[in-house]
Amino acid sequence: MAVLALCAALSLALGARSIPPSTVVDALFGDAHGRDAIVVRGLRLPRTVIGLAVGAALGVAGAVAQGITRNPLASPTTLGINAGAGFAVVVAIYAFGLTRPIEYVWFAFAGAAAATLFALALARRAGDIDPVRLALGGTVLQLVLLSWTSAVMLASQRTLDEARFWLAGSLSERSLHVLYPVLPTLGVGLLLAFAVTPALNTLALGDDSAQALGVPVARIRLAGAVAVALLAGSAVAVAGPIAFIGLAAPHLVRPILGGDHRFLVPGCLLAGPILLLSADVLGRVVIRPSELEVGIVSAFLGAPLLALLARKVAR
């Protein structure tokens, strides 16, 4: 919790121009009205709050995705959810001429939900959801949707110009009005994720063992997939497709809290925002006065992590 508070404080204080901590405190709790106070209250505070919500959603979604698939490399990205949201937004920009993030929200969420349903349909076998087929189907779906997204963007220069910033994944230029519409789905996703958390430990023993212990495997896996869709869809709708946060958060928490999902999932609720806000702050200061989108920073840092994880799993 202290690390998360530190990351939030840095997010409020650092940017194209650093603001002293005393000024940040006065802007939040006092009656400061200068330029720095306007920046803190009007730009950095909404950005930090959105980072906390999106990071928590991605962290928990990653933990649940790895639990229901029994695959340590599973995440909302590998299940095709991010790609589904991105494709829906690009099509909406192409067809309806959308220009603002708040206009993308429901299209992104609808695309994420459709991608999840399609991945579940691909994974069904004999009335059950096969975790291996779920991961493979999501990966195939992701590749197909990414190619379709590229095709639509190349067909229209206007669509390319509008979509490429959102597709990079960013917390900048986001107001809390973008977050408000997805708060209900975000809350339901968190409740559902914590509801299935105890059963994920039994699911890790294998489907046969879980069924022998009385766990309704198919329903738990379906509920977990719905939770991942709600959480990842909400996050992508607000901030765009941000990779590796959902993958990295569980692996950051496991060495500290162990593999028990009753502790792992709450740990990811904190680790996700820590990773996301850290990447966002790094993107702001590394090329001052410009900045790198958080999606680019997380991908740059996450690619080596993915290679190390893949090598560890192979061993």
Side-chain angles (χ1 to χ4, degrees), residues 119 136 145 211 309:
L136 291 177
L145 290 174
Q211 288 175 346
L309 291 176

Short mmCIF file of all heavy atoms in Angstrom, two decimals, residues 119 136 145 211 309:
data_model
loop_
_atom_site.label_atom_id
_atom_site.label_comp_id
_atom_site.label_asym_id
_atom_site.label_seq_id
_atom_site.Cartn_x
_atom_site.Cartn_y
_atom_site.Cartn_z
N ALA A 119 -13.99 -16.32 -28.18
CA ALA A 119 -12.94 -17.18 -27.63
C ALA A 119 -13.54 -18.31 -26.81
O ALA A 119 -13.07 -19.46 -26.87
CB ALA A 119 -11.98 -16.34 -26.78
N LEU A 136 -5.30 -20.91 -26.77
CA LEU A 136 -4.94 -20.95 -28.19
C LEU A 136 -5.94 -20.19 -29.04
O LEU A 136 -5.56 -19.45 -29.97
CB LEU A 136 -4.85 -22.41 -28.65
CG LEU A 136 -3.68 -23.23 -28.08
CD1 LEU A 136 -3.77 -24.66 -28.56
CD2 LEU A 136 -2.34 -22.61 -28.47
N LEU A 145 -7.67 -10.39 -35.48
CA LEU A 145 -8.22 -9.06 -35.27
C LEU A 145 -7.18 -7.97 -35.48
O LEU A 145 -7.50 -6.89 -35.98
CB LEU A 145 -8.81 -8.96 -33.86
CG LEU A 145 -10.09 -9.76 -33.63
CD1 LEU A 145 -10.50 -9.71 -32.16
CD2 LEU A 145 -11.23 -9.24 -34.49
N GLN A 211 -13.55 -31.42 -9.95
CA GLN A 211 -14.90 -31.98 -9.99
C GLN A 211 -15.11 -33.00 -8.88
O GLN A 211 -16.20 -33.07 -8.29
CB GLN A 211 -15.14 -32.62 -11.36
CG GLN A 211 -15.31 -31.60 -12.48
CD GLN A 211 -15.42 -32.25 -13.85
OE1 GLN A 211 -15.12 -33.44 -14.00
NE2 GLN A 211 -15.86 -31.47 -14.84
N LEU A 309 9.69 -15.09 -18.86
CA LEU A 309 8.62 -15.98 -18.38
C LEU A 309 8.46 -17.19 -19.27
O LEU A 309 8.28 -18.30 -18.80
CB LEU A 309 7.31 -15.19 -18.28
CG LEU A 309 7.23 -14.12 -17.20
CD1 LEU A 309 5.90 -13.38 -17.29
CD2 LEU A 309 7.40 -14.74 -15.83
#
